Amino acid sequence: MIELEVKQLYDKQQDLNGKVVKLAGWVKSCRSNGNFGFIDFTDGTCFKTVQIVFDKKLDNFDEIEKLNAGSTIYCTGEFMLTPENKQPFEVKAQNIQIFCATDSTYPLQKKRHSVEFLREIAYLRPRTNLFQAVFRVRSVAAMAIHEYFQGNGYVYVNTPLITTTDCEGSDQMFKITKLNFNNLPKNEDGTVDMREDLFGKQAYITGSGQLHGEAFALAFNKIYTFGPTFRTENSNTKTHANEFWMIEPEIAFCDLDGLMDIEEDMLKFVVKYVLEKCPAEIEFLNQFIEPGLKDKLTKLINSKFTRIDHKDVIDILKKAKVQWEFQPEEGGDIAKEHEKYITEYFGGPVFIKNWPKDIKAYYMKLNPDGKTVAAVDLEVPGSGELMGGSQREEDYNKIIKRCDEMGVDKSAIDWFLNLRKFGSCIHSGFGMGFERLVMYLTGVENIRDSIPFPRTPNNCDY
Amino acid sequence: MIELEVKQLYDKQQDLNGKVVKLAGWVKSCRSNGNFGFIDFTDGTCFKTVQIVFDKKLDNFDEIEKLNAGSTIYCTGEFMLTPENKQPFEVKAQNIQIFCATDSTYPLQKKRHSVEFLREIAYLRPRTNLFQAVFRVRSVAAMAIHEYFQGNGYVYVNTPLITTTDCEGSDQMFKITKLNFNNLPKNEDGTVDMREDLFGKQAYITGSGQLHGEAFALAFNKIYTFGPTFRTENSNTKTHANEFWMIEPEIAFCDLDGLMDIEEDMLKFVVKYVLEKCPAEIEFLNQFIEPGLKDKLTKLINSKFTRIDHKDVIDILKKAKVQWEFQPEEGGDIAKEHEKYITEYFGGPVFIKNWPKDIKAYYMKLNPDGKTVAAVDLEVPGSGELMGGSQREEDYNKIIKRCDEMGVDKSAIDWFLNLRKFGSCIHSGFGMGFERLVMYLTGVENIRDSIPFPRTPNNCDY
């Protein structure tokens, strides 16, 4: 008797015919005609399930045939190849031990539940086909990212989550504290005395690891971060969450063209990796969530991404025979409707580069024209902006000037600015929202369905 | 002319003899006799450096020979194998372009700096040999962990950082808020009205992903988390930080013995991986930080970890001819001095298992004796507790009883308790502090030197 996982049954099926195997897992569904029955069985190791056949010879047949979805069982039985059936094999039960029988209060019955309902039982939804597929793809995509960067010599850096350094603007950052809100220590002027808090001042949880990442890129050449980030946005849309994961690579001696090469290469690597490792999951998502998903992903691997200046995009948008909700304007931002149009226009991913300086951050490299910065957004069909990056301003005097023009508090980032004096070099980096990537890879349309326990305004259960 | 990284020079040295290469990176030191000179050169891709030889034929010889540590240069030169020297090769410069010359204000001069001083320039310390070694080992160890778990079929789960669920006790968790401390909304009774905050109630940043991890283990069988966790401890010791990274695997259908098998297997895999991928770093750390480090790590791979009950450890400690600061007591905790003694006693890693229930958490599996729980701590020589885990109580009635006995608020974790009704199964998990592992692997003795930007009480710069 061999204890095996369902995944192993699939991997080793040719060697198992006639062998007695032992399984432990859960009933997905159970049906019986009173003389024999079938259990659709999973142990979570594999998207595909196994059919267990049981009959009246089993002592506890009467209990087995009443098994409800979600019940936990141990099963010993004979593995049999069934080339004539739609499943490649089944297990003929010799013994089924019921460990935990669920009843009709179990929220996941054998029917299709809405994603809205499933969000309310976020602790059970990973048992459904949809979330088995999404969260395994998420895990495999994370591994693909680590493999890509480590395989190319990048150092993984855990930049701090708690910070007093402001990258994205502290009005967008959560404050953290150990103080008791109902008994705050006060200064003489009545304001809160933050010196009493654990860090001796107001601390935040971060919206980006970029600034710290730059310090490490100037030591290790190529680095990446991969961790959670936070925004306080009070926004209830399909694409906003208050907690999400980001990948932020930063590369020394790399300019904007080099950065686009890396972004394109990395994305293709990840897509290819997921297609190879998750064929059953992608098949399911292609069938039930986004028809055409598999084609979209396969096409991406073989496409050459378009690279176009922001001003040329505006030209195309202006010439388009479309009633825009937001009028495209030179020097202006690109709205969601524009992103969609432009990826359809080029029939694939598009790098929009060299953005108007006034709508971008102070740390981006000013181009020789004095008007634009060497920033780039990657737009992908169906999902819009997937990555945002830039060449960084490496000239100390120029970045100081930009800070002053844009009202950035230099004292809070003096160490970051010093990087431009101490061994400064041309360098570039980008950020990729991991949930955006998961949505692109799986076809799910709401960020709440791409992350295990989503955090959105007024929604922080579990 | 080939643009190459220093790592590539080492990897491809046999093919490069006589070729002209182009490098971009930083001066570690520069010395000259007025006719020719040597630059010790790095580009961060490799622990080892390259010697660049330059002479008076270069137009800017006078500037080059004055180059200070930390300066950024581009160098074109001829690669030459030098089997008679201590370096295997050098680069004879044909052209050196100075991109950013540092001056004497550069904080890292060519001398040995104390770790205390280096902590004050956390943004520059990754450029030193010590932190080049530590943070590359950290990155490689992280990859080893991902490879181990993904290679064994585990699903990587990003459990939420923002949470209202209490695993470790909310007095140990940071509160997060979007509210303005100097203008807090109040209830009629004068307390703060948390309904006005973004999540509509008090939220925290988490100290553990375990509870959420269990929900996913009961769907995917084997899962792991790897992310930051937070504690508010106002403790200034070598082993405490307020922000640290944890790995928390959780495995369905796995008991305490199975858990110890996994912990042992995983640790050996990670140690072996780091020894293979970071030979130069380990050599350096062995020489300058922890003499005997390499032996310690090599020995671990080939050792069998001891497994012993808590009560038998107490017996050994009581019989020991040692003046304890803390007297070992039946039913009591194991102090640092005891951990040290017991790993030396057995000459290697020790699993201490079956702990007194009163000093452990409510969710641990009660043993048949009614007095102990199926918990296990792994103690390693030199570092003490590296992992802590347990078989979880999977019986609904028993866990409810333990919650009541220990005063745990069941309403905040009802979903977690429900997992014991809906397809409950034997399951186990452990947590490993990633910084503890990095300290063990590198020999650094202070947690502040194992994490890029450490957060400790009154210390949240950068």
Side-chain angles (χ1 to χ4, degrees):
Chain A
M1 192 177 67
I2 348 170
E3 276 187 55
L4 286 170
E5 296 173 348
V6 171
K7 180 165 192 310
Q8 294 169 320
L9 296 187
Y10 278 94
D11 291 348
K12 301 177 184 175
Q13 52 186 281
Q14 295 312 323
D15 305 325
L16 290 174
N17 201 24
K19 299 255 165 70
V20 175
V21 297
K22 186 174 178 185
L23 305 171
W26 297 277
V27 173
K28 291 205 78 160
S29 66
C30 179
R31 62 199 160 89
S32 163
N33 67 8
N35 287 309
F36 61 91
F38 302 96
I39 293 171
D40 189 27
F41 175 88
T42 182
D43 67 358
T45 59
C46 178
F47 187 78
K48 288 177 279 190
T49 56
V50 175
Q51 177 159 283
I52 294 173
V53 191
F54 61 97
D55 63 26
K56 282 213 119 170
K57 281 183 223 139
L58 301 185
D59 295 342
N60 55 349
F61 178 84
D62 295 349
E63 291 165 68
I64 297 168
E65 68 170 357
K66 288 193 207 91
L67 279 172
N68 193 28
S71 299
T72 316
I73 59 171
Y74 290 88
C75 171
T76 307
E78 191 187 352
F79 182 98
M80 296 195 302
L81 288 173
T82 54
E84 68 286 357
N85 293 4
K86 80 177 171 165
Q87 294 103 339
F89 56 82
E90 62 187 22
V91 172
K92 185 150 176 22
Q94 295 168 347
N95 179 283
I96 292 178
Q97 183 200 337
I98 302 169
F99 186 84
C100 173
T102 61
D103 58 25
S104 60
T105 64
Y106 184 62
L108 289 171
Q109 295 300 327
K110 191 184 162 60
K111 62 167 189 169
R112 206 154 166 188
H113 299 284
S114 73
V115 287
E116 290 79 13
F117 169 74
L118 292 173
R119 276 176 218 146
E120 286 168 26
I121 47 166
Y123 73 112
L124 296 176
R125 69 177 182 169
R127 304 178 185 190
T128 62
N129 284 338
L130 171 59
F131 290 99
Q132 281 278 310
V134 170
F135 292 133
R136 196 179 295 276
V137 166
R138 184 177 168 111
S139 169
V140 168
M143 188 60 187
I145 288 163
H146 282 295
E147 278 196 19
Y148 178 81
F149 287 113
Q150 298 255 351
N152 285 290
Y154 288 63
V155 168
Y156 178 45
V157 181
N158 297 135
T159 50
L161 281 284
I162 300 176
T163 186
T164 52
T165 298
D166 184 347
C167 178
E168 297 293 326
S170 57
D171 56 324
Q172 289 188 27
M173 291 203 284
F174 286 101
K175 294 186 267 277
I176 67 156
T177 186
K178 199 188 167 174
L179 297 175
N180 179 347
F181 284 179
N182 290 312
N183 188 15
L184 291 167
K186 295 286 170 73
N187 294 309
E188 283 187 8
D189 66 358
T191 58
V192 176
D193 183 1
M194 293 308 298
R195 289 171 306 179
E196 296 284 312
D197 209 349
L198 189 71
F199 298 112
K201 54 184 159 184
Q202 182 63 68
Y204 302 89
I205 48 173
T206 194
S208 167
Q210 180 198 319
L211 305 193
H212 302 88
E214 286 192 38
F216 269 69
L218 268 58
F220 285 103
N221 205 304
K222 297 179 290 189
I223 66 97
Y224 70 111
T225 71
F226 190 167
T229 44
F230 308 88
R231 301 275 164 84
T232 57
E233 253 166 320
N234 193 348
S235 180
N236 262 305
T237 77
K238 283 183 179 183
T239 53
H240 283 96
N242 297 110
E243 174 176 332
F244 53 97
W245 284 62
M246 286 251 284
I247 297 99
E248 295 185 285
E250 191 76 30
I251 309 102
F253 305 104
C254 174
D255 62 13
L256 196 69
D257 280 324
L259 189 72
M260 289 186 280
D261 291 344
I262 294 164
E263 292 183 28
E264 182 168 342
D265 192 43
M266 190 264 303
L267 183 58
K268 287 176 177 173
F269 180 91
V270 172
V271 169
K272 197 154 174 265
Y273 190 99
V274 167
L275 283 173
E276 277 169 18
K277 303 255 179 183
C278 300
E281 287 81 359
I282 295 294
E283 203 59 68
F284 170 86
L285 295 162
N286 188 68
Q287 199 176 342
F288 294 104
I289 304 300
E290 182 184 338
L293 173 70
K294 215 167 131 183
D295 274 356
K296 176 186 85 177
L297 297 176
T298 311
K299 202 177 150 205
L300 178 119
I301 298 174
N302 303 305
S303 67
K304 177 83 191 126
F305 296 7
T306 303
R307 301 181 182 195
I308 181 171
D309 278 359
H310 173 273
K311 70 169 165 33
D312 297 327
V313 169
I314 298 291
D315 280 351
I316 292 170
L317 294 172
K318 279 185 163 171
K319 282 180 197 149
K321 291 184 175 40
V322 179
Q323 280 289 85
W324 299 116
E325 193 187 338
F326 299 95
Q327 278 308 316
E329 272 181 64
E330 227 175 291
D333 213 344
I334 306 263
K336 281 224 174 302
E337 57 180 337
H338 307 149
E339 292 174 358
K340 187 164 184 297
Y341 180 86
I342 210 76
T343 54
E344 283 166 7
Y345 182 92
F346 286 108
V350 180
F351 285 113
I352 305 178
K353 60 193 171 71
N354 296 325
W355 288 67
K357 68 174 179 177
D358 294 335
I359 59 169
K360 289 287 181 182
Y362 69 91
Y363 51 70
M364 296 180 177
K365 176 82 187 161
L366 194 63
N367 284 324
D369 64 13
K371 290 182 198 162
T372 60
V373 287
V376 63
D377 283 359
L378 175 63
E379 311 287 346
V380 293
S383 298
E385 189 194 332
L386 183 60
M387 307 182 206
S390 70
Q391 187 173 329
R392 317 306 190 186
E393 183 57 76
E394 85 280 357
D395 185 297
Y396 184 76
N397 295 321
K398 286 186 190 161
I399 199 168
I400 293 288
K401 188 157 170 272
R402 288 297 289 155
C403 283
D404 290 339
E405 283 170 9
M406 299 180 81
V408 174
D409 175 13
K410 298 195 294 287
S411 67
I413 51 167
D414 56 344
W415 61 271
F416 172 74
L417 300 171
N418 279 347
L419 292 172
R420 277 70 186 160
K421 284 197 292 195
F422 298 147
S424 188
C425 70
I426 291 170
H427 62 291
S428 301
F430 67 95
M432 174 169 72
F434 188 45
E435 283 71 26
R436 287 270 173 98
L437 177 70
V438 173
M439 291 162 76
Y440 181 72
L441 292 169
T442 61
V444 303
E445 288 187 335
N446 194 311
I447 194 168
R448 292 167 179 79
D449 300 327
S450 70
I451 187 165
F453 296 88
R455 274 35 181 141
T456 53
N458 286 311
N459 177 18
C460 183
D461 296 323
Y462 307 105
Chain B
M1 192 178 67
I2 347 169
E3 276 187 54
L4 286 171
E5 296 174 349
V6 171
K7 179 164 192 312
Q8 294 169 319
L9 296 187
Y10 277 94
D11 291 348
K12 301 176 183 174
Q13 52 185 281
Q14 294 313 323
D15 305 324
L16 290 174
N17 202 24
K19 300 253 165 67
V20 174
V21 296
K22 186 174 179 185
L23 305 171
W26 298 277
V27 173
K28 290 206 79 161
S29 67
C30 179
R31 62 199 160 88
S32 163
N33 67 7
N35 287 309
F36 61 90
F38 302 96
I39 292 170
D40 188 28
F41 175 87
T42 182
D43 67 358
T45 58
C46 178
F47 188 78
K48 287 177 279 189
T49 56
V50 174
Q51 178 158 283
I52 295 174
V53 190
F54 62 97
D55 64 26
K56 281 213 120 167
K57 281 182 222 137
L58 301 184
D59 295 343
N60 55 350
F61 178 84
D62 296 348
E63 290 166 68
I64 297 167
E65 67 169 357
K66 289 193 207 91
L67 279 173
N68 193 30
S71 298
T72 315
I73 59 172
Y74 290 88
C75 170
T76 307
E78 191 188 349
F79 181 99
M80 295 195 303
L81 289 172
T82 53
E84 67 285 357
N85 293 4
K86 80 176 170 166
Q87 295 101 339
F89 56 82
E90 62 187 23
V91 172
K92 186 149 176 19
Q94 296 167 346
N95 179 283
I96 292 177
Q97 184 201 339
I98 301 169
F99 187 84
C100 174
T102 61
D103 59 25
S104 60
T105 64
Y106 183 61
L108 288 172
Q109 294 301 326
K110 190 184 161 59
K111 62 166 189 170
R112 204 152 169 191
H113 298 286
S114 73
V115 286
E116 290 79 13
F117 169 74
L118 292 173
R119 276 176 217 145
E120 286 168 26
I121 47 167
Y123 73 112
L124 296 176
R125 68 177 183 169
R127 303 177 186 191
T128 63
N129 285 336
L130 171 59
F131 290 99
Q132 282 277 310
V134 170
F135 293 134
R136 195 179 295 276
V137 167
R138 184 179 168 109
S139 169
V140 168
M143 188 60 187
I145 288 162
H146 282 294
E147 278 196 18
Y148 178 81
F149 287 113
Q150 299 254 353
N152 285 290
Y154 289 63
V155 168
Y156 178 44
V157 181
N158 297 135
T159 49
L161 281 285
I162 299 175
T163 185
T164 53
T165 297
D166 184 348
C167 178
E168 298 292 326
S170 58
D171 56 323
Q172 290 188 28
M173 290 203 285
F174 285 100
K175 294 185 268 276
I176 68 157
T177 185
K178 200 188 167 176
L179 297 175
N180 179 347
F181 284 179
N182 291 311
N183 188 17
L184 291 167
K186 294 286 170 73
N187 294 311
E188 283 188 7
D189 67 358
T191 57
V192 176
D193 183 1
M194 294 307 301
R195 290 171 304 180
E196 295 284 313
D197 209 349
L198 189 70
F199 297 113
K201 54 185 158 182
Q202 182 63 69
Y204 302 89
I205 48 173
T206 195
S208 168
Q210 180 198 319
L211 305 193
H212 303 87
E214 286 191 38
F216 270 68
L218 267 58
F220 285 102
N221 204 304
K222 297 179 292 189
I223 67 96
Y224 70 110
T225 71
F226 191 166
T229 44
F230 308 88
R231 301 275 162 86
T232 58
E233 252 168 321
N234 193 349
S235 180
N236 262 304
T237 76
K238 284 182 177 184
T239 52
H240 283 96
N242 296 112
E243 174 176 332
F244 53 97
W245 284 62
M246 286 250 285
I247 297 97
E248 295 186 284
E250 191 76 30
I251 309 102
F253 304 104
C254 174
D255 62 14
L256 196 70
D257 279 323
L259 189 71
M260 288 186 279
D261 292 343
I262 294 164
E263 293 185 27
E264 183 168 343
D265 192 43
M266 190 263 304
L267 184 58
K268 287 176 177 174
F269 179 92
V270 172
V271 168
K272 195 153 175 266
Y273 190 99
V274 167
L275 283 174
E276 278 169 17
K277 303 256 179 183
C278 301
E281 287 81 358
I282 295 294
E283 202 60 66
F284 171 86
L285 295 163
N286 187 67
Q287 199 176 343
F288 294 105
I289 304 301
E290 181 184 338
L293 173 69
K294 216 166 129 182
D295 274 357
K296 177 186 84 177
L297 297 177
T298 311
K299 202 176 148 205
L300 178 120
I301 298 173
N302 303 305
S303 68
K304 177 82 192 130
F305 296 6
T306 303
R307 299 181 183 195
I308 180 171
D309 277 358
H310 173 273
K311 71 169 164 35
D312 297 328
V313 169
I314 298 292
D315 281 349
I316 291 170
L317 295 172
K318 279 186 164 169
K319 281 181 197 146
K321 290 183 176 41
V322 179
Q323 279 290 84
W324 298 117
E325 194 187 337
F326 299 95
Q327 279 307 318
E329 272 182 64
E330 228 175 290
D333 213 342
I334 307 263
K336 281 222 173 305
E337 56 180 336
H338 307 150
E339 292 174 357
K340 187 164 183 295
Y341 181 85
I342 210 75
T343 54
E344 282 165 10
Y345 182 92
F346 287 108
V350 179
F351 284 114
I352 305 178
K353 60 193 172 70
N354 296 325
W355 288 66
K357 69 174 180 178
D358 293 335
I359 58 170
K360 289 287 182 182
Y362 69 91
Y363 50 69
M364 296 181 176
K365 175 83 186 161
L366 194 62
N367 284 323
D369 64 14
K371 290 181 198 162
T372 61
V373 287
V376 62
D377 283 0
L378 175 63
E379 311 287 346
V380 293
S383 299
E385 189 193 332
L386 184 60
M387 308 183 206
S390 70
Q391 188 173 328
R392 316 307 190 186
E393 183 57 77
E394 86 279 357
D395 185 296
Y396 185 75
N397 294 323
K398 285 186 191 162
I399 200 168
I400 293 288
K401 188 157 171 269
R402 288 297 289 155
C403 284
D404 290 339
E405 282 170 7
M406 298 179 79
V408 173
D409 174 13
K410 299 195 293 285
S411 68
I413 51 167
D414 56 344
W415 61 272
F416 172 73
L417 299 171
N418 279 347
L419 293 172
R420 277 71 186 159
K421 285 198 291 196
F422 299 146
S424 188
C425 70
I426 292 170
H427 63 291
S428 301
F430 67 94
M432 176 169 70
F434 188 45
E435 282 72 24
R436 286 270 173 96
L437 176 70
V438 173
M439 291 163 76
Y440 181 72
L441 291 170
T442 60
V444 303
E445 289 188 334
N446 195 311
I447 195 169
R448 291 168 179 80
D449 300 328
S450 70
I451 186 165
F453 296 89
R455 272 39 178 138
T456 53
N458 286 310
N459 178 19
C460 183
D461 296 323
Y462 306 105

